[in-house]
Amino acid sequence: MKPIQVGLLGIGTVGSGTFKVLARNQEEIKRRAGRGIEITMVADLDTVRAKSIVGDAVQVVNDARAVIANPEIDIVIELIGGYGIAKQLVLEAIEAGKHVVTANKALLAVHGTEIFAAAHAKGVMVAFEAAVAGGIPIIKALREGLTANSIQWIAGIINGTTNFILSEMRDKGLDFDTVLKEAQRLGYAEADPTFDIEGVDAAHKVTLMSAIAFGTPVQFDRAHVEGITKLASQDIKYAEQLGYRIKLLGITRRSATGIELRVHPALVPSKRLLANVEGAMNAVVVQGDAVGTTLYYGKGAGSEPTASAVIADLVDITRLHTADAEHRVPHLAFHPDSMSDLQVVPMREVVTSYYLRLRVADEAGVLAKVTGLLAGAGISIDAVLQREADEVGGEGSTQTDLIILTHDTREGTLDDALAQLQGLPTVLAPIVRIRKEELS
Amino acid sequence: MKPIQVGLLGIGTVGSGTFKVLARNQEEIKRRAGRGIEITMVADLDTVRAKSIVGDAVQVVNDARAVIANPEIDIVIELIGGYGIAKQLVLEAIEAGKHVVTANKALLAVHGTEIFAAAHAKGVMVAFEAAVAGGIPIIKALREGLTANSIQWIAGIINGTTNFILSEMRDKGLDFDTVLKEAQRLGYAEADPTFDIEGVDAAHKVTLMSAIAFGTPVQFDRAHVEGITKLASQDIKYAEQLGYRIKLLGITRRSATGIELRVHPALVPSKRLLANVEGAMNAVVVQGDAVGTTLYYGKGAGSEPTASAVIADLVDITRLHTADAEHRVPHLAFHPDSMSDLQVVPMREVVTSYYLRLRVADEAGVLAKVTGLLAGAGISIDAVLQREADEVGGEGSTQTDLIILTHDTREGTLDDALAQLQGLPTVLAPIVRIRKEELS
């Protein structure tokens, strides 16, 4: 049988990795897929560079629409990225009856509902394993491997850049800005790292996992997104002393009133495997009612790890495209006519535990005042760490750090209590508040 | 559309878990599968007990063949276990045109080639996610998630009983027999634990993973199988001091001359996530040429975790049974006409590193003699740990433990060197040899 013909839109890091791995492992991939898989046409604005990667056997054009218009092409891979032209091209490829493989988390997290509906109407597949956690087959695990379960929650380290930065801050005791520069020098962070360090990239990914886990439309616009730019290295140190590590987590959880969808730094018990995922690695923990806790670990980015996911999607499509469309694996795990309308709950309604650092005057009764106020608000305390006082200028007045770990409490309740605490004359600086996830 | 009708053969721990989870999550499972999935007939010798589990709505019989003969039944779940009657029934179900879901690793590891051939000829699916690592979707990851890769090696903690025992031996410094009794009391080990503690169960599982990873027929009869019954707690202690933990690993590796297929205790660097998988949990590390290292973690046994995998297979079949048989996912990942004939390499040809413990007379020159002999055999030493001498009766003669870690060496070469070492008059007891896997 003649090979499946694949057209590639955009041949950068992941695109060239996809071409390289497909070529290197073509014989083994064909034995698995039952049919050869060949990239026969590539569209890239830099045709010279593209030719230098794929050679003369592959047709290289600078117009993506020429690929989509080519009747020989069965599958289109979109690796352009972003919401702009990529969206147009994906919709046009679907309209032209092509199956689509994409690594574009931003596009799907924001416009997934429209794109999946178009694909469903046309009876084609839009596969996106590469959009979340690179080479880790987490989309497949959620959509197919755990279908027996009522998923309770997902918590993931799904941004390698921020995990690398946090690991370095902990190992070397350096502050954020210093480590960010190092990460940029090493290529772990981009020149403009905003999407990574502000948590937007992780939010795109957890949005997709949330939709698949709970059968809802993508709700990126409802996600709570906090990055790591304000993290102080001293909080990483205090957390360590209390038996925790700070990670940027993407969390989605089924709660009494809906679905939690949030990205923020969080303390994780050091004994959890997830807390020991260091450097640029990714890991996702999934809690199901039948299976219990499962964890998936691997490289979340990079040329060949991401290509591994792109090619797995190509093989899936090659194996299964003969199934009648109604009987394929639904894009979001649940069939379009049985999606749920679970809403994202506001952060004030989220219940979790917290790490608090208060800069206080070192005088009698401060701890009593602070804990008394928390008790009054119905917030119970799990642990307290009081530092030795340190001299700070002015009439030998001394200050100290007061670290408090709370038990589970409603975030709204905590916010109100913090507002009161902040008002105390003995609280000398803005209170630091970091969420704490026991993941048990 | 009317629900898929499922017949269940054998309703023990996993069977009742499967029934319970299917009932509890039926609405969500239907939304994922696009069609209801119902166990409508159960065969078990203890019909009274079976009825007490499934109630009156389900037909209960004591004759498995009545289920297979029922034209209403689309899928047969085999949870009887063993090679005997289970094999007959699976082949008869296939012959009757039923899709089969089984958790029977022993059956598939030994008779898989015959069974998959029969299923292929009949155009039905035989799904077995539950046969390896319980609820962890590792079969799916290997067969579908990592299809882009040339798999280099797989190393897994795939037997919860032995991992529980090893964790307890390490935590509490107890010896094997004591912990085994505790494990039996807690239900982590069966009355007859032979299959678990001798490594047979792990060998069944790694045999299946090996076939899927490398596209070979199942080769259980060629597997090297060593259990943990001879492990001394002092070696666990010494390993810890050297920065390692001892785990029972199922390993399959692509080597220059073929495929390694082995189960044995091994030292694993404490810093690896795999070394930190404790208690009855399972984890599998897969090394692919494109994706790099990935790890999959979760409960490897138990009623509902295993049911999670059984039901995932039911959903897969429900979703995909309309694909023409040639375009379904092949049972062993590779299409039957493109299997490889890679042979299992003999253990003497395996190259890995080793932990050695020698009981030696505490006298000058012993270390020099031992290391000199190893050097002469071309075996280079990574680390040496010499214990303080301890008095042992007889004319105040003293003895000591000499611990040696080697670099990679051919096992045959090491065996020959050990034979010579054992002959030295200063070596006072049988030399302890445990393999060491860096997993890098």
Short mmCIF file of all heavy atoms in Angstrom, two decimals, chain A residues 320-369:
data_model
loop_
_atom_site.label_atom_id
_atom_site.label_comp_id
_atom_site.label_asym_id
_atom_site.label_seq_id
_atom_site.Cartn_x
_atom_site.Cartn_y
_atom_site.Cartn_z
N LEU A 320 -6.06 4.05 12.36
CA LEU A 320 -7.49 4.07 12.71
C LEU A 320 -8.37 4.90 11.79
O LEU A 320 -9.58 4.97 12.00
CB LEU A 320 -7.64 4.60 14.15
CG LEU A 320 -6.91 3.77 15.21
CD1 LEU A 320 -7.03 4.43 16.56
CD2 LEU A 320 -7.44 2.34 15.23
N HIS A 321 -7.80 5.50 10.76
CA HIS A 321 -8.63 6.41 9.97
C HIS A 321 -9.74 5.67 9.22
O HIS A 321 -10.69 6.28 8.77
CB HIS A 321 -7.78 7.23 9.00
CG HIS A 321 -7.13 6.42 7.94
ND1 HIS A 321 -7.49 6.50 6.62
CD2 HIS A 321 -6.15 5.49 8.00
CE1 HIS A 321 -6.73 5.66 5.91
NE2 HIS A 321 -5.92 5.04 6.74
N THR A 322 -9.63 4.32 9.14
CA THR A 322 -10.70 3.59 8.46
C THR A 322 -11.91 3.36 9.36
O THR A 322 -12.95 2.92 8.89
CB THR A 322 -10.20 2.21 7.98
OG1 THR A 322 -9.79 1.47 9.12
CG2 THR A 322 -9.05 2.36 7.00
N ALA A 323 -11.74 3.60 10.67
CA ALA A 323 -12.91 3.46 11.55
C ALA A 323 -13.93 4.52 11.15
O ALA A 323 -13.55 5.64 10.82
CB ALA A 323 -12.50 3.65 13.00
N ASP A 324 -15.22 4.18 11.16
CA ASP A 324 -16.17 5.23 10.81
C ASP A 324 -16.10 6.30 11.89
O ASP A 324 -15.90 6.01 13.08
CB ASP A 324 -17.58 4.67 10.66
CG ASP A 324 -18.12 4.08 11.93
OD1 ASP A 324 -18.67 4.85 12.74
OD2 ASP A 324 -17.93 2.87 12.13
N ALA A 325 -16.23 7.55 11.46
CA ALA A 325 -15.92 8.70 12.31
C ALA A 325 -16.62 8.62 13.68
O ALA A 325 -16.04 8.97 14.70
CB ALA A 325 -16.31 9.99 11.60
N GLU A 326 -17.83 8.09 13.69
CA GLU A 326 -18.59 8.02 14.94
C GLU A 326 -17.91 7.11 15.95
O GLU A 326 -18.17 7.18 17.15
CB GLU A 326 -20.01 7.52 14.67
CG GLU A 326 -20.94 8.60 14.17
CD GLU A 326 -20.84 9.87 15.01
OE1 GLU A 326 -21.06 9.79 16.24
OE2 GLU A 326 -20.48 10.91 14.45
N HIS A 327 -17.07 6.19 15.46
CA HIS A 327 -16.47 5.21 16.35
C HIS A 327 -14.99 5.44 16.59
O HIS A 327 -14.29 4.56 17.07
CB HIS A 327 -16.70 3.79 15.83
CG HIS A 327 -18.08 3.30 16.15
ND1 HIS A 327 -19.16 3.63 15.37
CD2 HIS A 327 -18.55 2.55 17.18
CE1 HIS A 327 -20.24 3.07 15.89
NE2 HIS A 327 -19.90 2.41 16.98
N ARG A 328 -14.51 6.63 16.22
CA ARG A 328 -13.13 6.93 16.58
C ARG A 328 -13.10 7.44 18.02
O ARG A 328 -14.13 7.67 18.64
CB ARG A 328 -12.56 7.99 15.63
CG ARG A 328 -12.49 7.51 14.19
CD ARG A 328 -11.51 8.36 13.40
NE ARG A 328 -11.69 8.15 11.97
CZ ARG A 328 -12.19 9.07 11.14
NH1 ARG A 328 -12.55 10.26 11.61
NH2 ARG A 328 -12.32 8.82 9.86
N VAL A 329 -11.89 7.63 18.53
CA VAL A 329 -11.75 8.20 19.87
C VAL A 329 -12.12 9.68 19.78
O VAL A 329 -11.56 10.41 18.97
CB VAL A 329 -10.30 8.06 20.38
CG1 VAL A 329 -10.17 8.68 21.76
CG2 VAL A 329 -9.89 6.59 20.41
N PRO A 330 -13.09 10.13 20.59
CA PRO A 330 -13.50 11.54 20.50
C PRO A 330 -12.33 12.48 20.84
O PRO A 330 -11.50 12.15 21.69
CB PRO A 330 -14.60 11.65 21.56
CG PRO A 330 -15.04 10.26 21.85
CD PRO A 330 -13.85 9.39 21.60
N HIS A 331 -12.31 13.65 20.19
CA HIS A 331 -11.22 14.60 20.41
C HIS A 331 -10.98 14.89 21.88
O HIS A 331 -9.87 14.92 22.36
CB HIS A 331 -11.50 15.90 19.66
CG HIS A 331 -11.45 15.76 18.18
ND1 HIS A 331 -12.58 15.85 17.39
CD2 HIS A 331 -10.43 15.49 17.34
CE1 HIS A 331 -12.23 15.66 16.12
NE2 HIS A 331 -10.94 15.44 16.07
N LEU A 332 -12.08 15.11 22.60
CA LEU A 332 -11.96 15.46 24.01
C LEU A 332 -12.42 14.31 24.90
O LEU A 332 -12.99 14.52 25.98
CB LEU A 332 -12.74 16.74 24.31
CG LEU A 332 -12.17 18.01 23.67
CD1 LEU A 332 -13.07 19.21 23.94
CD2 LEU A 332 -10.75 18.29 24.15
N ALA A 333 -12.22 13.08 24.43
CA ALA A 333 -12.52 11.87 25.19
C ALA A 333 -14.01 11.56 25.28
O ALA A 333 -14.41 10.41 25.19
CB ALA A 333 -11.90 11.92 26.59
N PHE A 334 -14.82 12.59 25.45
CA PHE A 334 -16.26 12.41 25.52
C PHE A 334 -16.86 12.75 24.16
O PHE A 334 -16.35 13.62 23.44
CB PHE A 334 -16.87 13.32 26.58
CG PHE A 334 -16.48 12.96 27.98
CD1 PHE A 334 -15.23 13.30 28.48
CD2 PHE A 334 -17.36 12.27 28.82
CE1 PHE A 334 -14.86 12.97 29.78
CE2 PHE A 334 -16.99 11.93 30.12
CZ PHE A 334 -15.74 12.29 30.59
N HIS A 335 -17.96 12.08 23.82
CA HIS A 335 -18.59 12.37 22.54
C HIS A 335 -19.23 13.77 22.58
O HIS A 335 -19.75 14.18 23.61
CB HIS A 335 -19.64 11.29 22.21
CG HIS A 335 -19.00 10.04 21.67
ND1 HIS A 335 -19.05 9.71 20.33
CD2 HIS A 335 -18.26 9.08 22.27
CE1 HIS A 335 -18.38 8.58 20.14
NE2 HIS A 335 -17.90 8.17 21.30
N PRO A 336 -19.14 14.48 21.44
CA PRO A 336 -19.58 15.89 21.40
C PRO A 336 -21.01 16.09 21.92
O PRO A 336 -21.31 17.11 22.53
CB PRO A 336 -19.50 16.24 19.91
CG PRO A 336 -18.48 15.29 19.34
CD PRO A 336 -18.62 14.04 20.15
N ASP A 337 -21.87 15.08 21.71
CA ASP A 337 -23.26 15.26 22.17
C ASP A 337 -23.40 14.92 23.66
O ASP A 337 -24.51 14.95 24.19
CB ASP A 337 -24.20 14.42 21.31
CG ASP A 337 -23.82 12.95 21.33
OD1 ASP A 337 -22.91 12.59 22.11
OD2 ASP A 337 -24.41 12.18 20.57
N SER A 338 -22.31 14.54 24.31
CA SER A 338 -22.43 14.26 25.76
C SER A 338 -21.41 15.03 26.57
O SER A 338 -20.85 14.53 27.53
CB SER A 338 -22.30 12.77 26.05
OG SER A 338 -22.07 12.01 24.91
N MET A 339 -21.16 16.29 26.15
CA MET A 339 -20.24 17.11 26.92
C MET A 339 -20.95 17.59 28.18
O MET A 339 -22.18 17.69 28.22
CB MET A 339 -19.78 18.32 26.10
CG MET A 339 -19.02 17.95 24.84
SD MET A 339 -17.44 17.15 25.18
CE MET A 339 -16.40 18.61 25.32
N SER A 340 -20.17 17.89 29.22
CA SER A 340 -20.73 18.37 30.46
C SER A 340 -20.66 19.91 30.48
O SER A 340 -19.85 20.50 29.77
CB SER A 340 -19.95 17.80 31.63
OG SER A 340 -19.70 18.78 32.60
N ASP A 341 -21.52 20.51 31.28
CA ASP A 341 -21.48 21.99 31.34
C ASP A 341 -20.94 22.45 32.70
O ASP A 341 -21.26 23.53 33.18
CB ASP A 341 -22.88 22.56 31.11
CG ASP A 341 -23.86 22.04 32.14
OD1 ASP A 341 -23.44 21.21 32.98
OD2 ASP A 341 -25.04 22.45 32.10
N LEU A 342 -20.11 21.59 33.31
CA LEU A 342 -19.49 21.96 34.58
C LEU A 342 -18.74 23.29 34.43
O LEU A 342 -17.98 23.47 33.49
CB LEU A 342 -18.52 20.87 35.04
CG LEU A 342 -19.13 19.60 35.63
CD1 LEU A 342 -18.09 18.51 35.78
CD2 LEU A 342 -19.78 19.91 36.97
N GLN A 343 -18.98 24.19 35.36
CA GLN A 343 -18.37 25.51 35.29
C GLN A 343 -17.09 25.57 36.13
O GLN A 343 -16.93 24.82 37.09
CB GLN A 343 -19.34 26.58 35.79
CG GLN A 343 -20.60 26.68 34.94
CD GLN A 343 -20.28 27.10 33.52
OE1 GLN A 343 -19.62 28.11 33.31
NE2 GLN A 343 -20.72 26.31 32.55
N VAL A 344 -16.19 26.49 35.77
CA VAL A 344 -14.99 26.71 36.56
C VAL A 344 -15.38 27.51 37.80
O VAL A 344 -16.08 28.52 37.70
CB VAL A 344 -13.93 27.49 35.75
CG1 VAL A 344 -12.76 27.88 36.64
CG2 VAL A 344 -13.47 26.66 34.56
N VAL A 345 -14.96 27.04 38.98
CA VAL A 345 -15.33 27.72 40.22
C VAL A 345 -14.37 28.89 40.46
O VAL A 345 -13.18 28.79 40.17
CB VAL A 345 -15.29 26.75 41.43
CG1 VAL A 345 -16.21 25.58 41.21
CG2 VAL A 345 -13.87 26.27 41.69
N PRO A 346 -14.89 30.01 40.97
CA PRO A 346 -14.05 31.16 41.28
C PRO A 346 -13.02 30.82 42.36
O PRO A 346 -13.29 29.97 43.21
CB PRO A 346 -15.02 32.22 41.80
CG PRO A 346 -16.36 31.60 41.90
CD PRO A 346 -16.30 30.22 41.33
N MET A 347 -11.86 31.46 42.33
CA MET A 347 -10.78 31.13 43.27
C MET A 347 -11.22 31.28 44.73
O MET A 347 -10.77 30.53 45.59
CB MET A 347 -9.53 31.97 42.99
CG MET A 347 -8.71 31.48 41.81
SD MET A 347 -8.26 29.72 41.87
CE MET A 347 -6.97 29.74 43.14
N ARG A 348 -12.09 32.23 45.00
CA ARG A 348 -12.50 32.41 46.40
C ARG A 348 -13.21 31.17 46.95
O ARG A 348 -13.26 30.95 48.15
CB ARG A 348 -13.41 33.64 46.55
CG ARG A 348 -12.66 34.97 46.59
CD ARG A 348 -13.61 36.15 46.84
NE ARG A 348 -14.25 36.12 48.15
CZ ARG A 348 -13.69 36.63 49.24
NH1 ARG A 348 -12.48 37.17 49.18
NH2 ARG A 348 -14.34 36.59 50.40
N GLU A 349 -13.72 30.34 46.03
CA GLU A 349 -14.44 29.12 46.46
C GLU A 349 -13.51 27.91 46.55
O GLU A 349 -13.92 26.84 47.01
CB GLU A 349 -15.59 28.81 45.50
CG GLU A 349 -16.62 29.93 45.40
CD GLU A 349 -17.10 30.37 46.79
OE1 GLU A 349 -17.29 29.49 47.66
OE2 GLU A 349 -17.22 31.59 47.00
N VAL A 350 -12.27 28.06 46.05
CA VAL A 350 -11.33 26.93 46.08
C VAL A 350 -10.93 26.64 47.53
O VAL A 350 -10.68 27.55 48.30
CB VAL A 350 -10.08 27.25 45.24
CG1 VAL A 350 -8.96 26.24 45.52
CG2 VAL A 350 -10.44 27.26 43.75
N VAL A 351 -10.90 25.35 47.87
CA VAL A 351 -10.45 24.94 49.20
C VAL A 351 -9.10 24.24 49.09
O VAL A 351 -8.98 23.23 48.41
CB VAL A 351 -11.47 24.00 49.87
CG1 VAL A 351 -10.91 23.45 51.18
CG2 VAL A 351 -12.80 24.72 50.10
N THR A 352 -8.09 24.81 49.71
CA THR A 352 -6.78 24.17 49.77
C THR A 352 -6.05 24.68 51.01
O THR A 352 -6.64 25.38 51.83
CB THR A 352 -5.96 24.44 48.47
OG1 THR A 352 -4.74 23.70 48.54
CG2 THR A 352 -5.67 25.92 48.29
N SER A 353 -4.79 24.31 51.18
CA SER A 353 -4.06 24.78 52.36
C SER A 353 -3.00 25.79 51.90
O SER A 353 -2.76 25.93 50.70
CB SER A 353 -3.41 23.60 53.09
OG SER A 353 -2.57 22.89 52.20
N TYR A 354 -2.38 26.48 52.87
CA TYR A 354 -1.53 27.62 52.52
C TYR A 354 -0.26 27.71 53.35
O TYR A 354 -0.22 27.27 54.50
CB TYR A 354 -2.32 28.93 52.68
CG TYR A 354 -3.51 29.00 51.77
CD1 TYR A 354 -4.73 28.43 52.15
CD2 TYR A 354 -3.42 29.59 50.51
CE1 TYR A 354 -5.83 28.46 51.30
CE2 TYR A 354 -4.51 29.63 49.67
CZ TYR A 354 -5.71 29.06 50.06
OH TYR A 354 -6.78 29.08 49.22
N TYR A 355 0.75 28.31 52.71
CA TYR A 355 2.00 28.70 53.36
C TYR A 355 1.94 30.22 53.47
O TYR A 355 1.66 30.91 52.48
CB TYR A 355 3.17 28.27 52.48
CG TYR A 355 4.50 28.96 52.73
CD1 TYR A 355 5.50 28.32 53.48
CD2 TYR A 355 4.79 30.21 52.19
CE1 TYR A 355 6.74 28.93 53.68
CE2 TYR A 355 6.01 30.83 52.39
CZ TYR A 355 6.98 30.18 53.14
OH TYR A 355 8.20 30.79 53.32
N LEU A 356 2.16 30.75 54.68
CA LEU A 356 2.16 32.19 54.88
C LEU A 356 3.49 32.62 55.47
O LEU A 356 4.03 31.95 56.36
CB LEU A 356 1.04 32.60 55.85
CG LEU A 356 -0.38 32.12 55.53
CD1 LEU A 356 -1.33 32.49 56.65
CD2 LEU A 356 -0.84 32.69 54.19
N ARG A 357 4.06 33.71 54.96
CA ARG A 357 5.25 34.30 55.59
C ARG A 357 4.94 35.74 55.96
O ARG A 357 4.62 36.56 55.11
CB ARG A 357 6.48 34.25 54.68
CG ARG A 357 7.67 35.01 55.26
CD ARG A 357 8.98 34.69 54.57
NE ARG A 357 8.92 34.96 53.13
CZ ARG A 357 9.18 36.15 52.57
NH1 ARG A 357 9.46 37.20 53.33
NH2 ARG A 357 9.12 36.28 51.26
N LEU A 358 5.04 36.01 57.25
CA LEU A 358 4.78 37.36 57.76
C LEU A 358 6.07 37.95 58.30
O LEU A 358 6.78 37.29 59.06
CB LEU A 358 3.74 37.35 58.87
CG LEU A 358 2.30 36.92 58.52
CD1 LEU A 358 2.19 35.42 58.42
CD2 LEU A 358 1.33 37.47 59.56
N ARG A 359 6.38 39.16 57.89
CA ARG A 359 7.50 39.90 58.46
C ARG A 359 6.95 40.68 59.64
O ARG A 359 6.10 41.56 59.46
CB ARG A 359 8.08 40.86 57.41
CG ARG A 359 9.37 41.53 57.83
CD ARG A 359 10.50 40.54 57.83
NE ARG A 359 11.77 41.14 58.25
CZ ARG A 359 12.82 40.44 58.65
NH1 ARG A 359 12.74 39.11 58.69
NH2 ARG A 359 13.93 41.04 59.01
N VAL A 360 7.35 40.30 60.85
CA VAL A 360 6.73 40.92 62.03
C VAL A 360 7.78 41.54 62.95
O VAL A 360 8.94 41.15 62.93
CB VAL A 360 5.92 39.88 62.84
CG1 VAL A 360 4.75 39.35 62.03
CG2 VAL A 360 6.82 38.72 63.28
N ALA A 361 7.33 42.47 63.77
CA ALA A 361 8.18 43.04 64.82
C ALA A 361 8.40 41.95 65.86
O ALA A 361 7.48 41.21 66.21
CB ALA A 361 7.51 44.25 65.45
N ASP A 362 9.64 41.83 66.32
CA ASP A 362 9.97 40.77 67.27
C ASP A 362 9.63 41.22 68.70
O ASP A 362 10.51 41.63 69.45
CB ASP A 362 11.45 40.42 67.17
CG ASP A 362 11.81 39.26 68.09
OD1 ASP A 362 10.96 38.34 68.19
OD2 ASP A 362 12.88 39.29 68.69
N GLU A 363 8.35 41.18 69.03
CA GLU A 363 7.95 41.59 70.39
C GLU A 363 6.93 40.61 70.93
O GLU A 363 6.31 39.84 70.18
CB GLU A 363 7.37 43.01 70.34
CG GLU A 363 6.35 43.22 69.24
CD GLU A 363 5.93 44.68 69.09
OE1 GLU A 363 6.80 45.52 68.80
OE2 GLU A 363 4.74 44.96 69.26
N ALA A 364 6.78 40.61 72.24
CA ALA A 364 5.90 39.65 72.91
C ALA A 364 4.48 39.74 72.36
O ALA A 364 4.00 40.80 71.98
CB ALA A 364 5.90 39.91 74.42
N GLY A 365 3.82 38.62 72.23
CA GLY A 365 2.41 38.61 71.89
C GLY A 365 2.07 38.62 70.41
O GLY A 365 0.92 38.45 70.02
N VAL A 366 3.09 38.79 69.55
CA VAL A 366 2.79 38.86 68.12
C VAL A 366 2.21 37.54 67.62
O VAL A 366 1.16 37.51 66.97
CB VAL A 366 4.07 39.19 67.32
CG1 VAL A 366 3.80 39.10 65.82
CG2 VAL A 366 4.56 40.58 67.68
N LEU A 367 2.89 36.43 67.97
CA LEU A 367 2.42 35.12 67.50
C LEU A 367 0.99 34.88 67.99
O LEU A 367 0.12 34.46 67.23
CB LEU A 367 3.36 34.03 68.03
CG LEU A 367 2.99 32.59 67.61
CD1 LEU A 367 2.93 32.46 66.10
CD2 LEU A 367 4.01 31.59 68.18
N ALA A 368 0.73 35.24 69.27
CA ALA A 368 -0.61 35.04 69.83
C ALA A 368 -1.64 35.85 69.04
O ALA A 368 -2.71 35.36 68.68
CB ALA A 368 -0.61 35.45 71.30
N LYS A 369 -1.27 37.09 68.70
CA LYS A 369 -2.20 37.96 68.00
C LYS A 369 -2.53 37.38 66.61
O LYS A 369 -3.69 37.27 66.21
CB LYS A 369 -1.59 39.37 67.86
CG LYS A 369 -2.63 40.49 67.79
CD LYS A 369 -1.96 41.86 67.77
CE LYS A 369 -1.14 42.13 69.04
NZ LYS A 369 -0.31 43.37 68.92
#
